[in-house]
Amino acid sequence: MLKAVLFDFNGVIINDESIHNALIEQLMIEENLRLKPGEFRQVCLGRSDRACLVELFNRRGRILEESGLLKLLQRKAKAYQNFLDSMETLPLYQGLGELLSQLQDAQLKLAVVSGAMRSEIELVLTGAGLISFFDAIVAGDDILTSKPEPDGYLLAIQRLNQCYPDLHLQGSECLAIEDTLAGIQAAHNGGIPVLGVAHTYPLHILQRWATWSVDTFGDIELERLQNFFAKDVA
């Protein structure tokens, strides 16, 4: 049966791709480097800030030591906070609050699995009054690998089991909600069915990768999904 729903963050909870693009571009300029057209989407979309920066620098023959990388991540996280503080409203996706309430009413456990920094995730969820919905957060600070590796999803399952020892949660009892191909692949690599939401890629592309696909949160039919999981168990 379906026991838990695991949310990606950027592109699923908050519509902030353009913000990250601008911040990474500015960070590169400050390091006397420049992004090529389309490079952010090619290198960074669906991946952690850590993986994004390491590859961007590697492409330019610059090796980032851990101490230097951490400083860049901290600068970027601070700039992200300043940017959101300047906005009148957070760019959350329509229907998110209603979906979270529906999942909570169904007594499903909820977690965030993202390559974003924990400070960024908590900033948004707290500011939006949504943090109480989530039983666990796995952020880019918690793991060294990035999607499409499944480590973040596996850690989320582990943490939910620690929070709820009687849950005995397995990957096949979770639903991941993702918007990128790297994220979808990461969940599949962890043995987790995936609902792709067309916030970043067109629906017809997600349909080739995800277990299920929808255009918006409003198109999600929870009862139908629960029936699919129950059918698999039967």
Side-chain angles (χ1 to χ4, degrees):
M1 61 183 296
L2 178 61
K3 294 182 179 180
V5 180
L6 313 178
F7 283 77
D8 181 34
F9 180 67
N10 308 113
V12 169
I13 289 176
I14 184 167
N15 183 6
D16 61 357
E17 178 188 333
S18 62
I19 299 173
H20 288 283
N21 193 338
L23 295 180
I24 292 292
E25 187 170 12
Q26 181 60 36
L27 205 62
M28 296 288 283
I29 290 173
E30 291 170 0
E31 296 296 316
N32 295 315
L33 301 171
R34 288 191 178 275
L35 284 181
K36 299 175 182 177
E39 192 174 21
F40 174 85
R41 192 171 179 87
Q42 177 189 10
V43 173
C44 302
L45 204 60
R47 304 178 70 201
S48 68
D49 287 341
R50 170 182 288 270
C52 165
L53 288 171
V54 167
E55 181 167 343
L56 288 175
F57 274 68
N58 283 347
R59 286 178 166 213
R60 290 153 177 82
R62 297 257 307 259
I63 305 300
L64 278 174
E65 300 292 340
E66 183 65 17
S67 59
L69 175 59
L70 288 177
K71 289 179 181 178
L72 288 176
L73 291 171
Q74 290 166 359
R75 281 164 53 193
K76 192 258 181 180
K78 180 62 176 176
Y80 183 80
Q81 178 179 343
N82 291 339
F83 196 101
L84 292 192
D85 286 345
S86 70
M87 303 182 74
E88 292 186 8
T89 58
L90 293 172
L92 303 179
Y93 282 99
Q94 187 173 359
L96 174 64
E98 293 83 349
L99 175 61
L100 291 175
S101 295
Q102 185 182 14
L103 297 175
Q104 188 178 66
D105 290 344
Q107 299 184 341
L108 297 173
K109 309 306 180 190
L110 305 182
V112 172
V113 181
S114 173
M117 300 291 284
R118 177 173 294 273
S119 62
E120 297 178 5
I121 297 171
E122 292 182 345
L123 173 70
V124 170
L125 294 181
T126 301
L130 301 176
I131 198 163
S132 62
F133 282 101
F134 294 96
D135 302 285
I137 294 174
V138 174
D141 316 48
D142 299 316
I143 51 175
L144 294 178
T145 59
S146 174
K147 298 173 183 178
E149 297 301 320
D151 302 49
Y153 277 109
L154 299 178
L155 182 56
I157 292 171
Q158 178 183 333
R159 288 185 174 175
L160 288 174
N161 280 325
Q162 290 171 345
C163 291
Y164 303 97
D166 296 330
L167 188 61
H168 305 299
L169 183 64
Q170 301 179 34
S172 59
E173 298 169 322
C174 301
L175 176 69
I177 300 183
E178 282 281 359
D179 67 306
T180 66
L181 307 187
I184 292 171
Q185 189 176 349
H188 280 319
N189 288 341
I192 301 169
V194 188
L195 176 71
V197 60
H199 291 163
T200 304
Y201 286 90
L203 184 67
H204 72 273
I205 292 180
L206 295 181
Q207 287 172 334
R208 303 175 195 168
W209 290 73
T211 316
W212 303 279
S213 303
V214 295
D215 279 309
T216 67
F217 286 140
D219 298 322
I220 295 175
E221 300 178 37
L222 179 56
E223 184 176 356
R224 186 178 179 186
L225 288 171
Q226 289 174 312
N227 289 337
F228 272 114
F229 278 84
K231 186 188 303 181
D232 288 341
V233 172

